[in-house]
Amino acid sequence: PGLEARLGYAHQESDDYSDISHLNGWISYKPGDLTLAFEFDTFDIQDDAEIWDIMLMANYQFSNWFGLTLRYSHEDIENLLMPLNLDIESDRITLALLFSVTQNFGINFEYSHTEYEGDGWDDSADEVYVEGLLSF
């Protein structure tokens, strides 16, 4: 009980540029108010560029109206934009505060810090999001 796993595959081929394969795997475990998850993606684009990423997530629902999520993700891109052959890596850490205002409306306050690294360069970015989530 509480264990969930998913596996998906997609392929797109067109006459102009894109021949893309995508494999996605997800596993989560939810013992009560805690949710732990791991996700893996891999993309193969035109047999040249490759992209893979992972995401680790922990969420705890403290009450019916408040939850906290901590996420780490890593993305690795190789041979992007042929013939430039760009290689890019990023690491992101995210903290989200989730508030349920009503049964159908929630507010999400999220902060993310990302470190980027490429061929001979590096950078970082900080982002703050406020989202309204409506479900029906």
Side-chain angles (χ1 to χ4, degrees), residues 1-99:
L3 184 63
E4 177 182 347
R6 297 178 186 195
L7 186 62
Y9 176 78
H11 181 80
Q12 174 185 332
E13 188 172 338
S14 66
D15 294 334
D16 55 356
Y17 172 73
S18 54
D19 183 8
I20 302 171
S21 297
H22 177 204
L23 177 68
N24 174 267
W26 163 273
I27 188 164
S28 66
Y29 180 60
K30 186 173 176 22
D33 293 330
L34 177 66
T35 301
L36 303 172
F38 172 77
E39 184 174 26
F40 173 78
D41 278 301
T42 182
F43 296 85
D44 185 22
I45 304 170
Q46 285 292 88
D47 298 323
D48 295 321
E50 294 181 13
I51 302 170
W52 67 268
D53 60 79
I54 62 168
M55 186 269 308
L56 299 166
M57 182 195 80
N59 171 272
Y60 191 79
Q61 194 66 36
F62 290 95
S63 66
N64 288 341
W65 61 272
F66 176 68
L68 180 83
T69 298
L70 182 63
R71 254 186 345 260
Y72 166 77
S73 58
H74 175 84
E75 186 173 53
D76 190 287
I77 303 169
E78 297 175 1
N79 298 326
L80 184 65
L81 300 174
M82 289 297 286
L84 298 177
N85 295 335
L86 296 177
D87 293 338
I88 302 168
E89 289 186 26
S90 69
D91 292 293
R92 174 181 290 216
I93 198 108
T94 302
L95 178 66
L97 306 172
L98 310 146
F99 297 92

Side-chain angles (χ1 to χ4, degrees), residues 98-109:
L98 310 146
F99 297 92
S100 296
V101 178
T102 68
Q103 185 176 358
N104 297 348
F105 181 69
I107 296 176
N108 181 11
F109 295 98

